[in-house]
Amino acid sequence: MKCRVCREPAIIDIRRHNANFCVEHFLRLCRDQVAKAIDRHEMLSHTDRVLVAISGGKDSLALWDILVELGYETDGLYLGLGIGHYSTSSEGFARRFAEHRGLRLEVVDLQEDYGFDVPEGARAARRVPCSACGLSKRHLFDEAARRGGYDAVATGHNLDDEAAVLLGNVLHWQQDYLGRQRPVLPAGNGFPRKVKPLVRLGEREMAAYCVLRNIEYMVEECPMAAGNKHLGYKEALNAIEEQSPGSKHDFYFGFLDRVVDRFGGASEGDGADVGTCVRCGAPAGGDVCAFCRLLERVGGSHPDYHSGPTSTVNRTSVSLAPTRVGAIDGVTGARP
Ligand code: Q46
Ligand code: ZN
Ligand code: ZN
């Protein structure tokens, strides 16, 4: 097995490219694919300040690493969701990554900062955990981006994720979701720009990238994901990809090239009557946003953004609104 570029021994085969790569050229391929996605979909410019959503898993840490390598100005945000061992352990991976590289990581903890965790939120709202979790994540990333004056929020969704979500949306003809399933959603209606620079790379490549770059990451998946439909869609697509390499890529990029515009909804809140939440100032369909309604049901409250620093690893001069005083040297603490 020889590298397609240099003919030295290869360490990985990528069947959808019908090619093998050595370490150096595999890492270059990953960076090039991210640069290509950013360029083609006009995700970021080099003057943007980018907030990277960090979960402690392979995708978000590889994304952060690649964006730094490509010269983007980035900070990370980790959200402590209160999902037992999964959360405590993933926070450690996120913090160690940031500390080793001298990068700034803000940590927002649902329980400490808002008085509830994902399992409690799900019970109170009578929702499945992933629904309460997703709602909280979207709100808190948007909120942190507004508060910190970031130009864009970058998430580690890879090709496998996007193809699986697309399959689910197509199976159930979720027209609104289909219109918004784009690698970039422009800022608008009070929402920050959202970008997914890993859409040209698969799950297996991201794991290999982390191993080759010595990035330690949380291998364990969130226990709440077990048995969810998304995993089933991934398995179905893996079976198709096995028979026909390149299918996931063709499915997702064919959709973007030929179909997505038929569904409209190129930005968040499109078509909806978007006002401002009277409690927290976030964009909202009614007087009170969905997160504040969840907070009320679960008996939580907003942190006082004006009373002290948030927990931030390697805090720099950026003055972010504070949630709690952090414990790590010189550092303050508040995170997908
Ligand atoms: S939504 Fe659901 Fe994830 Fe939240 S509860 Fe876990 S599996 S972390 S991407
Ligand atoms: Zn090579
Ligand atoms: Zn609100």
Side-chain angles (χ1 to χ4, degrees):
M1 199 162 96
K2 289 188 174 155
C3 171
R4 173 162 88 183
V5 182
C6 68
R7 312 308 298 163
E8 293 295 316
I11 48 91
I12 188 166
D13 66 311
I14 304 183
R15 288 179 67 203
R16 76 172 181 287
H17 291 292
N18 195 20
N20 310 314
F21 297 92
C22 70
V23 173
E24 180 191 342
H25 291 114
F26 171 70
L27 295 175
R28 188 186 294 177
L29 172 97
C30 292
R31 287 179 203 121
D32 288 351
Q33 292 293 334
V34 169
K36 191 171 177 177
I38 290 174
D39 188 43
R40 285 225 175 138
H41 302 286
E42 299 178 354
M43 291 181 184
L44 300 172
S45 78
H46 277 282
T47 56
D48 284 340
R49 288 182 59 238
V50 186
L51 185 62
V52 189
I54 300 298
S55 70
K58 62 187 185 322
D59 303 300
S60 61
L61 294 179
L63 170 64
W64 201 2
D65 188 68
I66 296 173
L67 288 176
V68 168
E69 291 278 304
L70 292 175
Y72 289 96
E73 189 188 336
T74 58
D75 291 321
L77 175 61
Y78 175 87
L79 296 184
L81 302 167
I83 306 176
H85 165 77
Y86 169 75
S87 287
T88 42
S89 187
S90 57
E91 181 176 338
F93 285 104
R95 284 183 180 272
R96 285 190 294 277
F97 177 91
E99 276 164 354
H100 288 158
R101 286 168 163 73
L103 296 168
R104 183 180 177 285
L105 177 74
E106 185 184 359
V107 180
V108 172
D109 189 273
L110 267 187
Q111 184 63 261
E112 284 188 38
D113 297 327
Y114 291 86
F116 77 102
D117 57 29
V118 161
E120 286 168 357
R123 273 194 301 276
R126 299 202 180 141
R127 290 168 171 254
V128 291
C130 292
S131 163
C133 180
L135 186 162
S136 303
K137 288 198 281 196
R138 282 190 299 279
H139 178 90
L140 294 170
F141 277 110
D142 291 352
E143 195 271 330
R146 276 194 300 276
R147 184 160 45 85
Y150 290 93
D151 299 290
V153 173
T155 56
H157 296 93
N158 60 39
L159 177 59
D160 294 68
D161 296 323
E162 291 303 294
V165 171
L166 178 59
L167 180 59
N169 287 339
V170 167
L171 285 174
H172 301 292
W173 292 116
Q174 305 267 22
Q175 299 200 31
D176 289 354
Y177 292 153
L178 283 165
R180 288 197 299 273
Q181 211 196 327
R182 300 166 190 262
V184 56
L185 286 173
N189 293 323
F191 293 101
R193 189 188 334 146
K194 307 268 176 61
V195 301
K196 299 174 181 173
L198 297 186
V199 287
R200 301 186 63 85
L201 292 162
E203 209 139 82
R204 180 168 163 265
E205 287 115 77
M206 297 333 298
Y209 182 90
C210 286
V211 170
L212 296 170
R213 290 278 294 161
N214 290 319
I215 297 172
E216 291 186 4
Y217 64 90
M218 179 76 180
V219 176
E220 198 181 302
E221 297 284 347
C222 171
M224 306 284 178
N228 78 12
K229 289 181 180 160
H230 188 72
L231 288 183
Y233 299 145
K234 276 193 173 174
E235 281 169 19
L237 286 167
N238 284 341
I240 296 169
E241 184 79 14
E242 181 67 30
Q243 295 293 318
S244 174
S247 294
K248 284 180 204 170
H249 177 278
D250 292 351
F251 179 48
Y252 178 63
F253 286 98
F255 166 75
L256 291 183
D257 290 344
R258 289 178 242 150
V259 187
V260 68
D261 288 334
R262 299 186 195 187
F263 293 99
S267 65
E268 274 181 288
D270 240 20
D273 190 10
V274 179
T276 303
C277 173
V278 295
R279 295 194 190 156
C280 74
D287 287 345
V288 177
C289 75
F291 181 76
C292 285
R293 291 199 303 270
L294 173 65
L295 209 50
E296 186 170 15
R297 293 180 85 155
V298 77
S301 60
H302 284 280
D304 178 0
Y305 289 138
H306 306 288
S307 65
T310 43
S311 165
T312 306
V313 179
N314 302 316
R315 190 178 175 82
T316 59
S317 58
V318 186
S319 77
L320 271 196
T323 32
R324 64 192 158 92
V325 178
I328 304 188
D329 8 286
V331 163
T332 25
R335 164 194 145 139

